[in-house]
Amino acid sequence: MNTRVLRTELRRSVAPWAGVVILAGALSFLYLLPGLWWNGSVRWTAQWTSMAMWTRSLLVLLWPLVVGLGALQGLRDHRSRMAELLASTPRPARHRAATLAGATALTTASAFVFLVLLGAAQVLTDAEYAHLGWLPISLVGVLSLVAGALLGMGVGRALPSALTPPVMAVGAFVFTNVLRAASEPAVPEPAVPNRLSLLSPSVAQVREVLLTLSPSVHVGQTVWLLGLAATGFALLVAATPRTRLFALSPVLAGAAIALLVLPSDPRRTYVVDEAAAAMVCDGPVCVTKTHQARLADLAGPGRKTLRLLRDTLGSQAPASIRESTAPREQGGTPERSRTAVLVDFDDGMIATATGKDLTRALLAQGMAPHCNARSDRESGQMYEIATQSIAAGWVLGGLQPLGGTVHSVADQLELAEPVWKKLTALPRAEQLSRIKAMHAAALSCKDDGFSALNGGASQ
């Protein structure tokens, strides 16, 4: 296919509109609608894997549109009443199909690649950890759009009806949403068998920056999408009911092979990227390779925090500070450790603090590790924040509210000040006894640290 034929095909087809829909729809979603893709360590321009996963997650909406536009493109010869004329020409049907498919594949692929390059340009300026593990995620996304467009064109050619494009778009939308994995669990889980869910071109929304897709997912999805694309192209070429029936063979074979390759367990689908989760340390203070840029700011306050914890808790004090790497459910209990202060850069109390405020935040987490996720806005978390502010204030010699929480300064002080005054009025030995009891209660996540500071009084 030479460039003149390609330019002509682009002018007389809906292929450019397919590219416009993909790019405009994706950019509108990412830039105009607020969501997780804007904030925290999982925002779509923060890290390479997050960028690739967020752009793939948009296919839950974009893929059905591409399938519908492809079906509309497949109706062109029927609408123009040229099918019999074109069939009588000596030019092979596969050449005409290649021209039609090539133009659409080029525009859809180019639009998605431009979206990925736009995200990559922003990630390049922010992320210190560079790798190529994100590339298969994006390449499978490109292939899925090309396969969806070819499938739509093939079905549109085989079933030339005005209802075909909307039915194909709605069917594809139902397909992607039924197979969609919920992102609330620690590892995204679908409502259907895991292998079936992976036939969807989309992925779950990003909640954990260290999660990526396993290699078997890339292989299985590639095989499935190649079969889908081959069936779409074969339907474009097929002229008889028999050849159209044979055209279904690639998609059936691709599905059969993919279901053998794709993992059955969600925990083998979304896996922790071991290279990204590797620890980079400055003495006893460690962060993942993904967040190595934060180590310099964390190291000084981290060492001071460990000294203060050792002076206060003695042998019970944690000996290191490290970033938490365990995936957890939305609103679930965070990872816990008796030997380390665990840092979560999606915790606003840690993420927004610097200098002395960071030392106070680390002390609060070391003295009274929280049991509830910071996204939990229930009143129970308020008692955790009050407990942490009292514990950190006791070590540093003054009560101050903690920043980066969902609770106001006034609300924190209203709850913490009465207990603070009661605690500091006691003899020093009794104060230390209550502080240690509070620490043990917080570590267990079963007892009430706030009550321990209050002398056993209930909330």
Side-chain angles (χ1 to χ4, degrees), residues 101 242 441:
R242 184 178 181 182

Side-chain angles (χ1 to χ4, degrees), residues 383 386-387 415 418-419 422 434 447-459:
Y383 285 91
T387 301
L415 186 61
V419 178
K422 184 177 179 179
R434 291 193 181 187
D447 299 319
D448 181 8
F450 189 80
S451 296
L453 290 175
N454 204 20
S458 64
Q459 298 177 7

Side-chain angles (χ1 to χ4, degrees), residues 386 390 394 398-399 413-427 431 434 450 453-454:
I390 294 170
W394 190 86
L399 178 65
L413 291 178
E414 181 182 1
L415 186 61
E417 276 187 332
V419 178
W420 169 260
K421 292 177 180 177
K422 184 177 179 179
L423 176 67
T424 53
L426 297 171
Q431 293 180 39
R434 291 193 181 187
F450 189 80
L453 290 175
N454 204 20

Side-chain angles (χ1 to χ4, degrees), residues 7 29 61 68 78 103 127 130 139-140 163 180 182 206 228 246 319 355 362 372 416 423 428 452:
R7 288 197 303 268
F29 188 93
L61 300 174
H78 176 75
L139 290 177
V140 172
L163 294 177
R180 191 175 186 179
V206 185
L228 205 64
F246 284 142
L362 291 172
N372 296 307
L423 176 67
R428 182 72 178 179

Side-chain angles (χ1 to χ4, degrees), residues 103-120:
T104 305
L106 178 63
T107 55
T108 54
S110 298
F112 192 78
V113 168
F114 183 84
L115 175 67
V116 171
L117 291 177
L118 180 62

Side-chain angles (χ1 to χ4, degrees), residues 273-337:
D273 186 336
E274 297 297 338
M279 289 294 166
V280 179
C281 299
D282 185 342
V285 181
C286 300
V287 298
T288 62
K289 201 167 184 180
T290 297
H291 293 135
Q292 58 188 343
R294 296 177 180 257
L295 182 58
D297 293 332
L298 188 66
R303 289 194 186 91
K304 182 177 180 181
T305 296
L306 292 175
R307 288 196 301 270
L308 293 171
L309 289 172
R310 187 167 54 250
D311 293 341
T312 303
L313 300 175
S315 61
Q316 299 178 20
S320 63
I321 293 176
R322 67 174 175 84
E323 183 181 351
S324 174
T325 59
R328 57 182 171 84
E329 296 180 6
Q330 183 183 11
T333 301
E335 181 186 7
R336 315 187 60 70
S337 173

Side-chain angles (χ1 to χ4, degrees), residues 51 64 86 119 181-182 232 234 243 265 273 301 327 335 346-347 354 366 372 394 418:
M51 180 273 296
L86 293 173
T243 54
D265 188 346
D273 186 336
E335 181 186 7
D346 284 321
D347 181 347
T354 57
N372 296 307
W394 190 86

